Amino acid sequence: MNQNLHTTLRQLRLSGLGKTLQVRLQEAASSRLTHLEFLELILADELSVRRQRQLEARLRVAEFRALKPLDDFDWRFNPDIPRKQIFELAAGHFIGRHDDVLFVGPPGVGKSFLAQAIGYEALKQGHHVRYRSIFDLVRDFLEEEALSQRDRVLRGYLKPDLLIIDDMGMKALPKQSGEYLMEIIVRRHETRSTIMTSNRPLEDWGKLLQDVPTASAILDRFLQHAHLIAITGKSYRLKDSALTKPQATNTEEGKASS
C-alpha cells in the first residue's frame, strides 16, 4: 500500500480497512472480484474492527469482577439450574421489556458467574452494562456524599441499559444503604433492567438493610417484573476442596503408611 493511501486512510480513521487492505487486494486479484464485491469486503473489515473497539470500550466501563462466557459454565455440577431460562435471558429480550432478574441461593452456586455472563451477552448485543457489588454501590454513595456529588454517582447507576448488583446478603450493610438501593430501583423501574444476586432469602433483606419498610418497598417494586431464579446445591468453588472429598478411614491411613 502506498504512503499516500495509508495517510488518507489514517486521516479518515479507517484503520480497520487499512489493516486488511493488502490481503483484500490480493484476494480481489486472485478471485477476480467485482468492484462492488471488493468494496463490500473492505467496508465489512472496517465495520468489524469498529464493533470490536466498541465492545472493548463497553467492557471496560462495565467493570466486571471475573468475567467468563456462558459457554464456560459447568451445568453438570448443579444440574437443577434452569438452563433454558438462563439462555433465554442471555438472548437479551428482557432488557427490551425493562424486566429485572433476581438470582437467589447460597454462596458458590454460580449466581455471580451467570449474572455477569448474561451481562456480557448484553454487551455483545450493543447494550451498555455496569457491574457493581452491593458493597461497591454503598461505598460509591458514601464517598460521593462526603464530596456533595450524590447526583453524579446516581446518574452512573441510572444510565446503563443493564445494571448488575451482586452479593446482596454477604453481610449487614450501613443503615443508609436501603435509601441508596431504593432510589436506584425506583428510578430504574420500568425504564431500565437490573439483575441482582442474593445469598440470603428475601425475608432477611430487612435485617441486612437495617430497615424493614425500605426493604419491603424495594422488593415490592423490583419483583413486579422480575424473573426469579432460585439456585440450590453445592458450592462450585469448593468442589475440589479437601472439605468436599471423602476422608480416608483409619484402616486406609494405616495401609498407606505401612
Side-chain angles (χ1 to χ4, degrees):
M1 178 168 50
N2 65 59
Q3 187 59 41
N4 288 338
L5 180 56
H6 179 76
T7 301
T8 301
L9 291 175
R10 188 174 65 249
Q11 290 173 339
L12 292 172
R13 298 182 179 180
L14 296 173
S15 59
L17 188 156
K19 289 178 181 178
T20 62
L21 183 57
Q22 194 63 42
V23 173
R24 293 305 191 190
L25 285 168
Q26 294 174 0
E27 181 180 356
S30 62
S31 301
R32 297 184 179 180
L33 299 180
T34 66
H35 293 113
L36 181 59
E37 289 171 335
F38 175 68
L39 181 60
E40 287 177 343
L41 279 176
I42 60 174
L43 291 181
D45 289 340
E46 176 64 31
L47 187 58
S48 176
V49 168
R50 292 191 180 192
R51 284 173 175 166
Q52 183 60 34
R53 286 177 182 162
Q54 291 168 354
L55 175 61
E56 291 170 356
R58 291 195 299 270
L59 192 55
R60 287 192 296 271
V61 171
E63 297 184 280
F64 290 118
R65 179 171 62 192
L67 177 62
K68 295 179 181 179
L70 198 55
D71 290 343
D72 287 353
F73 191 75
D74 186 358
W75 301 97
R76 296 168 299 177
F77 188 71
N78 281 332
D80 292 335
I81 293 176
R83 185 171 182 173
K84 182 173 182 262
Q85 187 177 11
I86 299 300
F87 277 97
E88 286 174 351
L89 292 171
H93 302 306
F94 79 99
I95 299 174
R97 298 191 299 266
H98 308 311
D99 290 350
D100 300 313
V101 181
L102 178 60
F103 287 95
V104 180
V109 294
K111 303 183 304 297
S112 296
F113 188 130
L114 292 172
Q116 291 179 86
I118 291 170
Y120 182 54
E121 292 301 318
L123 274 180
K124 292 192 292 184
Q125 294 155 15
H127 297 293
H128 291 276
V129 180
R130 190 180 188 196
Y131 168 90
R132 302 298 277 166
S133 76
I134 187 66
F135 311 112
D136 295 328
L137 184 154
V138 173
R139 184 168 55 250
D140 288 344
F141 276 89
L142 288 175
E143 290 176 353
E144 295 305 326
E145 278 197 347
L147 299 172
S148 300
Q149 295 290 324
R150 189 172 186 275
D151 289 343
R152 185 185 69 82
V153 73
L154 179 60
R155 286 195 296 272
Y157 281 91
L158 299 181
K159 184 178 179 180
D161 303 311
L162 175 62
L163 173 66
I164 300 172
I165 303 175
D166 202 6
D167 293 332
M168 187 69 182
M170 292 292 284
K171 62 181 180 180
L173 297 163
K175 189 171 179 58
Q176 59 268 53
S177 304
E179 174 190 336
Y180 304 147
L181 183 57
M182 182 172 178
E183 183 160 13
I184 291 169
I185 296 302
V186 169
R187 297 277 293 273
R188 291 181 62 86
H189 182 62
E190 296 183 334
T191 64
R192 298 285 191 277
S193 293
T194 304
I195 295 177
M196 294 187 70
T197 74
S198 178
N199 299 300
R200 299 274 289 276
L202 303 185
E203 55 266 27
D204 288 353
W205 280 32
K207 295 178 182 177
L208 293 168
L209 295 172
Q210 303 184 56
D211 189 336
V212 174
T214 297
S216 298
I218 290 170
L219 289 170
D220 180 67
R221 191 65 60 92
F222 187 76
L223 294 176
Q224 184 178 357
H225 303 296
H227 303 262
L228 179 60
I229 302 175
I231 302 178
T232 58
K234 300 169 290 184
S235 170
Y236 185 83
R237 286 191 290 268
L238 295 178
K239 70 173 185 174
D240 296 320
S241 167
L243 295 174
T244 63
K245 295 178 180 178
Q247 300 297 313
T249 63
N250 291 335
T251 303
E252 291 170 334
E253 289 174 352
K255 289 179 181 179
S257 62
S258 60

